C-alpha cells in the first residue's frame, strides 16, 4: 500500500482541453501539477541509482523501517538508454547481492583471455607483453556483460524489494524549497508541439517531493549539470573530462568465437590525428562480440569524426579477422566520464546527492565504472537510511563525504588518479608507460598529483591549422554509414515536440563555429544530428538539427567549443532503445 498512490498518479494522466486559452490553461495547470511526497526520489535507473534503490529496500526489510522510494527513468524501459563495453568487476555486485548467481543475474561470461595490442598502422598491430601492461588493465575474475541487461535485472530486484520504478518519465526540472534546498523533481509535460503550443494529447508532468533526491542520471546528466552550477560544486576541482564511446554488437562466425576473450587496443587510427583514446573487442556469449572505440574528447583536430574513426579501426586485420563473415546487429554511442578524482565535484547538496557517473566516479585506469557507480549508490543508501531514521529531511548529508572517502571506491580512485592526466599530457604510449611505473611499481603512491585544467571544449585548434582527414566510404560489410548505424539503435522521438537540443545563440553555429572550426558538430555527433546545409530558396547556409536522430550521448553538450548547445531531456520514452548493450 505504501506506493499505490504514487503509481496511480503516474498511470492515470489527466489532459488539458485544447482551445483558444490553451496557453493560459497550461500555465495554470503547470502551477497546479499533481504532486506526491515520498522519502527518496532517484533520478535515473542506471547502476548507481538502482544500487541505491536496492540497498534502501534491503535496509527497509532488514530493519522494518518504512522508506518510500520512487525511481524515475527517461528511457522507454529500464536499460533502454544504457550502453557500456562492458567488463564488470563484480566487487560491488558481490556486496549488494552475494547470491546474485542464484538470483539469475545476467552475468555469465567470465574473462578467459586478456590481450592488448598497439596498432601501428592500418595493417599492423603489435601485441603488448603482459608484463608491461598496467595492472589496472588485467581482468582476472571479471565478467563480460551487457550493462543494459544487468540494469534490467537490478530494476527487477528493486521492484521485488518494494521500490517503485517508473520508466518513460523524464525528470526535467529540479524543484526547490524556499530555503534553497532541493524539494524534488518534476517530470516533463507531454503533448507539446514543436511550436510550444499544446496538442489535444497534452498531459502535464508530475511533481515528486522528497526528503532527499538522488541524481543518478549518468554521464553529463542535465539536472546534475544545473546543480553543479547552482551550488558551485566544482569549486577547487579540475574540469570534468570525457570520451565518446561508440559501440557495435555483432553476430560472428561460431568458428571464430572465443567466449571470454577480452581485447583492448591503442594507437591507430587515432594517432594519425594526434587524438587520445583506445578501443575494445569482447567475446560475449551466444557467438557475439561487443566492440567499440573511445575517442577522448580532449582531441584538438576539429576534422576528427569519432564515428568514422571507429569504422576505420575495424579494418585493421587484428580486428577485422573477428568480424569477417559476421553481421552487425546493434549500434549506439554514449559519452564517458573520465576525469577521475581530481575532477570529482562536491557530491552533497541540501536535500540531495549526486552519485555514480553523474558525479564522475568512473575509474578510467580500469576503463570501468559500474562497480564504482554501484558502490557510490550503496553508500548513499546507508547514509539516507540513517538520516531518515533520525527524522531528518532536506538538509545536507555531509556525512556522505566521510563515508565515501573511507570506502574502497575513493581508495581506488586515489591510487589511479594520475592515469588520465598522464594520457593527456604524454599521449597513449608514453602515458601508458607512466601508468605502468605509477601503478605497477609504486602502487599508485607517487608523491604528487597531476592536474588537467583545460576543459575538453577548449582544446580544438582552428580548422585552417589542422589536417583534414579523408575518411573512406563504407563498404557495407565491415564499415557502415552513420545513418544506417542510427537505424540499428532503434532511436525514436515524438517528432512534433520542442527541440531538446537547444542553442543559447542560434547565430553561433554559422557565424562563429563554421568559419573557425568548420562547425565540428557535423563530425563529433555520432548520429548525424547536426548539418550545415544549403538553403534551397536563397543558396545560403543554414544550421540544421535532426533531433529525431539523437542517441542521447551528450557529446554536443560537452564538446561544442562555444558551449552554445544545451542538451535537455525530451519527452519520456524518447531516444534509443538498446537491446543487450
Amino acid at each position: 500500500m505504501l506506493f499505490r498512490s504514487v503509481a496511480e498518479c503516474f498511470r492515470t494522466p489527466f489532459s488539458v482541453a485544447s482551445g483558444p486559452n490553451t496557453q493560459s490553461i497550461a500555465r495554470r495547470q503547470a502551477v497546479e501539477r499533481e504532486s506526491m511526497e515520498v522519502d527518496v526520489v532517484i533520478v535515473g535507473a542506471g547502476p548507481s541509482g538502482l544500487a541505491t534503490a536496492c540497498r534502501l529496500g534491503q535496509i527497509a526489510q532488514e530493519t522494518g523501517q518504512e522508506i518510500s522510494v520512487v525511481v524515475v527513468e527517461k528511457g522507454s524501459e529500464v536499460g533502454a538508454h544504457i550502453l557500456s563495453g562492458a567488463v564488470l568487476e563484480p566487487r560491488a555486485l558481490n556486496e549488494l547481492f552475494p547470491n546474485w548467481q542464484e538470483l539469475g543475474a545476467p552475468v555469465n561470461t567470465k574473462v578467459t583471455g586478456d590481450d592488448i595490442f598497439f596498432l601501428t598502422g592500418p595493417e599492423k598491430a603489435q601485441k603488448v607483453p603482459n608484463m608491461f601492461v598496467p595492472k589496472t588493465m588485467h581482468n582476472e575474475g571479471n565478467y563480460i556483460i551487457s550493462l543494459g541487461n544487468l540494469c534490467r535485472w537490478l530494476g527487477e530486484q528493486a521492484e521485488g524489494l518494494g521500490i517503485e520504478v517508473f520508466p518513460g518519465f523524464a525528470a526535467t526540472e529540479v524543484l526547490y524549497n524556499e530555503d534553497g534546498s532541493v524539494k524534488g523533481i518534476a517530470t516533463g509535460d507531454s503533448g507539446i508541439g514543436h511550436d510550444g503550443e499544446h496538442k489535444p494529447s497534452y498531459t502535464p508532468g508530475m511533481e515528486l517531493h522528497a526528503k532527499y533526491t538522488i541524481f543518478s542520471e549518468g554521464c553529463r546528466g542535465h539536472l546534475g549539470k544545473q546543480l553543479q552550477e547552482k551550488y558551485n560544486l566544482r569549486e577547487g576541482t579540475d574540469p570534468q573530462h570525457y570520451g565518446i564511446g561508440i559501440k557495435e554488437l555483432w553476430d560472428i562466425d561460431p568458428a571464430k568465437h572465443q567466449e571470454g576473450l577480452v581485447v583492448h587496443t591503442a594507437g591507430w587510427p587515432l594517432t594519425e590525428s594526434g587524438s587520445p583514446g583506445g578501443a575494445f573487442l569482447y567475446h560475449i556469449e551466444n557467438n557475439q562480440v561487443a566492440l567499440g572505440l573511445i575517442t577522448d574528447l580532449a582531441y584538438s583536430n576539429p576534422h576528427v569524426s569519432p564515428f568514422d574513426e571507429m569504422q576505420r579501426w575495424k579494418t585493421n586485420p587484428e580486428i577485422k579477422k573477428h568480424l569477417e563473415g559476421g553481421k552487425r546487429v546493434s549500434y549506439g554511442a554514449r559519452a564517458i566520464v573520465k576525469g577521475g578524482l581530481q575532477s570529482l565535484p562536491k557530491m552533497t547538496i541540501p536535500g540531495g546527492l549526486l552519485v555514480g557517473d553523474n558525479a564522475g566516479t568512473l575509474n578510467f585506469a580500469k576503463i570501468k565504472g559500474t562497480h564504482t557507480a554501484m558502490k557510490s549508490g550503496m553508500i548513499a543508501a546507508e547514509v539516507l537510511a540513517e538520516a531518515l531514521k533520525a527524522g531528518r529531511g532536506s538538509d545536507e548529508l555531509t556525512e556522505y563525504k566521510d563515508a565515501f572517502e573511507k570506502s574502497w571506491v575513493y581508495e581506488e580512485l586515489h591510487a589511479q588518479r594520475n592515469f588520465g592526466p598522464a594520457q593527456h599530457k604524454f599521449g597513449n604510449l608514453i602515458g601508458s608507460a607512466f601508468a605502468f611505473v605509477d601503478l605497477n611499481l609504486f602502487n599508485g603512491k607517487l608523491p604528487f598529483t597531476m592536474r588537467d585544467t583545460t576543459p575538453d571544449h577548449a582544446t580544438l585548434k582552428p580548422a585552417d591549422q589542422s589536417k583534414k582527414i579523408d575518411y573512406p566510404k563504407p563498404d557495407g560489410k565491415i564499415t557502415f554509414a552513420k545513418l544506417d548505424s542510427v537505424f540499428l539503435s532503434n532511436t525514436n522521438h515524438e517528432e512534433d515536440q520542442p527541440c531538446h537540443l537547444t542553442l543559447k545563440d542560434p547565430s553561433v553555429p554559422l557565424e562563429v563555429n563554421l568559419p573557425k572550426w568548420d562547425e565540428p558538430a557535423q563530425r563529433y555527433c555520432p548520429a548525424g544530428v547536426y548539418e550545415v546545409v544549403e538553403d534551397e530558396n536563397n543558396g545560403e547556409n543554414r544550421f540544421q538539427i535532426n533531433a529525431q536522430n539523437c542517441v542521447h550521448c551528450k557529446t554536443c553538450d560537452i564538446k561544442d567549443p562555444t558551449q552554445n548547445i544545451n542538451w535537455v531531456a525530451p519527452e519520456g520514452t524518447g531516444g534509443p532503445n538498446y537491446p543487450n548493450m
Side-chain angles (χ1 to χ4, degrees):
M1 295 295 293
L2 186 61
F3 298 98
R4 181 167 295 172
S5 56
V6 179
E8 287 172 350
C9 284
F10 269 98
R11 292 168 182 156
T12 312
F14 52 92
S15 298
V16 175
S18 60
N21 294 320
T22 300
Q23 287 184 310
S24 62
I25 293 172
R27 284 193 291 269
R28 188 166 65 250
Q29 288 283 17
V31 175
E32 298 171 358
R33 286 180 298 200
E34 286 276 345
S35 66
M36 182 56 59
E37 292 192 8
V38 294
D39 290 324
V40 179
V41 169
I42 298 172
V43 182
S48 63
L50 291 171
T52 305
C54 288
R55 186 65 193 123
L56 281 170
Q58 289 173 340
I59 292 170
Q61 287 194 354
E62 293 164 3
T63 65
Q65 181 181 355
E66 287 195 3
I67 307 174
S68 54
V69 184
V70 169
V71 181
V72 292
E73 162 59 38
K74 64 183 174 67
S76 61
E77 64 171 354
V78 174
H81 289 181
I82 298 293
L83 182 145
S84 182
V87 171
L88 173 72
E89 183 175 313
R91 185 173 185 176
L93 182 61
N94 289 338
E95 292 180 11
L96 185 60
F97 291 107
N99 60 335
W100 56 264
Q101 290 176 309
E102 298 172 20
L103 293 173
V107 179
N108 305 311
T109 305
K110 201 161 189 175
V111 174
T112 57
D114 210 353
D115 295 337
I116 295 182
F117 292 88
F118 190 83
L119 306 188
T120 56
E123 300 292 333
K124 298 179 180 179
Q126 180 66 48
K127 187 173 181 179
V128 179
N130 193 55
M131 63 181 294
F132 295 124
V133 174
K135 64 181 182 180
T136 56
M137 297 291 291
H138 295 180
N139 285 292
E140 295 87 352
N142 294 334
Y143 293 81
I144 307 171
I145 65 164
S146 157
L147 184 56
N149 287 341
L150 179 63
C151 286
R152 290 180 177 94
W153 179 83
L154 286 171
E156 293 171 358
Q157 305 312 302
E159 290 179 323
L161 291 163
I163 309 300
E164 286 285 357
V165 182
F166 294 104
F169 292 91
T172 58
E173 180 184 353
V174 181
L175 305 175
Y176 298 96
N177 294 303
E178 290 184 2
D179 63 1
S181 61
V182 172
K183 184 179 184 178
I185 58 95
T187 62
D189 298 347
S190 63
I192 299 178
H194 68 279
D195 56 1
E197 296 291 332
H198 296 159
K199 300 183 289 188
S201 60
Y202 174 73
T203 304
M206 178 182 176
E207 292 189 2
L208 282 173
H209 303 164
K211 294 175 182 175
Y212 298 104
T213 305
I214 310 306
F215 296 90
S216 52
E217 304 165 277
C219 175
R220 196 72 167 194
H222 82 288
L223 297 184
K225 177 183 168 185
Q226 294 174 24
L227 293 168
Q228 291 184 44
E229 294 173 358
K230 177 179 175 64
Y231 292 102
N232 198 24
L233 302 182
R234 303 212 61 84
E235 183 178 12
T237 72
D238 287 357
Q240 189 56 266
H241 297 285
Y242 304 89
I244 172 62
I246 296 174
K247 178 183 176 180
E248 296 179 352
L249 191 65
W250 284 62
D251 292 331
I252 66 166
D253 181 349
K256 297 181 178 180
H257 190 243
Q258 304 173 62
E259 186 168 321
L261 175 63
V262 166
V263 178
H264 288 109
T265 76
W268 186 86
L270 292 174
T271 45
E272 287 192 0
S273 60
S275 303
F280 63 90
L281 187 149
Y282 305 150
H283 283 248
I284 57 178
E285 63 258 46
N286 300 323
N287 295 317
Q288 289 190 322
V289 295
L291 65 157
L293 179 77
I294 299 171
T295 302
D296 193 314
L297 288 178
Y299 70 82
S300 60
N301 185 334
H303 301 298
V304 165
S305 166
F307 172 86
D308 292 298
E309 295 290 338
M310 159 72 172
Q311 300 307 309
R312 281 209 298 173
W313 168 74
K314 290 185 292 180
T315 64
N316 184 284
E318 192 59 49
I319 304 304
K320 187 177 181 180
K321 68 182 183 183
H322 297 271
L323 307 177
E324 288 179 312
K327 178 184 178 182
R328 189 176 68 152
V329 294
S330 191
Y331 167 87
R334 186 69 170 96
I336 299 166
V337 59
K338 54 178 288 294
L341 189 67
Q342 296 90 309
S343 299
L344 204 64
K346 183 182 177 187
M347 298 167 73
T348 62
I349 54 178
L353 294 171
L354 273 67
V355 296
D357 282 0
N358 210 7
T361 58
L362 183 140
N363 183 348
F364 197 61
K366 290 186 173 182
I367 325 178
K368 295 176 184 65
T370 301
H371 66 301
T372 51
M374 289 180 64
K375 183 62 175 179
S376 74
M378 293 156 64
I379 297 167
E382 301 280 351
V383 171
L384 286 163
E386 286 298 316
L388 293 168
K389 185 178 180 181
R392 293 163 56 188
S394 300
D395 60 325
E396 186 164 351
L397 297 167
T398 54
E399 60 268 39
Y400 180 82
K401 180 177 185 292
D402 295 331
F404 183 81
E405 291 183 354
K406 290 177 182 177
S407 72
W408 54 258
V409 177
Y410 184 88
E411 179 182 356
E412 186 176 301
L413 293 177
H414 184 269
Q416 291 146 36
R417 67 196 182 279
N418 288 327
F419 181 88
Q423 296 288 316
H424 281 189
K425 185 176 180 65
F426 304 123
N428 284 146
L429 189 59
I430 298 177
S432 296
F434 172 89
F436 176 85
V437 173
D438 181 19
L439 300 172
N440 291 41
L441 303 184
F442 287 90
N443 203 31
K445 295 180 180 178
L446 286 174
F448 57 84
T449 296
M450 298 179 68
R451 312 305 296 242
D452 191 350
T453 58
T454 303
D456 293 342
H457 70 263
T459 60
L460 288 181
K461 297 177 180 177
D464 59 7
Q465 298 176 22
S466 305
K467 181 182 178 182
K468 287 192 174 184
I469 304 171
D470 183 20
Y471 291 110
K473 291 183 179 180
D475 61 19
K477 297 178 181 179
I478 300 295
T479 61
F480 302 91
K482 190 176 289 186
L483 294 183
D484 292 336
S485 301
V486 175
F487 178 78
L488 289 180
S489 70
N490 300 308
T491 294
N492 185 58
H493 296 85
E494 167 59 48
E495 290 191 28
D496 187 14
Q497 66 172 303
C499 182
H500 68 280
L501 303 161
T502 63
L503 302 179
K504 298 174 185 176
D505 183 345
S507 70
V508 165
L510 297 183
E511 295 182 9
V512 180
N513 288 1
L514 185 61
K516 188 169 184 179
W517 297 290
D518 194 25
E519 185 44 87
Q522 302 175 91
R523 292 172 294 281
Y524 60 58
C525 173
V529 169
Y530 302 101
E531 295 181 281
V532 176
V533 298
E534 185 177 300
D535 193 293
E536 295 178 358
N537 297 320
N538 56 28
E540 296 180 355
N541 285 332
R542 60 183 173 86
F543 188 59
Q544 180 165 300
I545 300 177
N546 306 308
Q548 175 76 0
N549 292 358
C550 179
V551 295
H552 296 202
C553 73
K554 311 291 183 67
T555 304
C556 57
D557 194 279
I558 297 165
K559 189 60 177 175
D560 178 40
T562 52
Q563 291 294 276
N564 188 50
I565 299 174
N566 186 42
W567 191 101
V568 299
E571 283 190 10
T573 75
N577 287 278
Y578 293 135
N580 306 323
M581 294 286 269

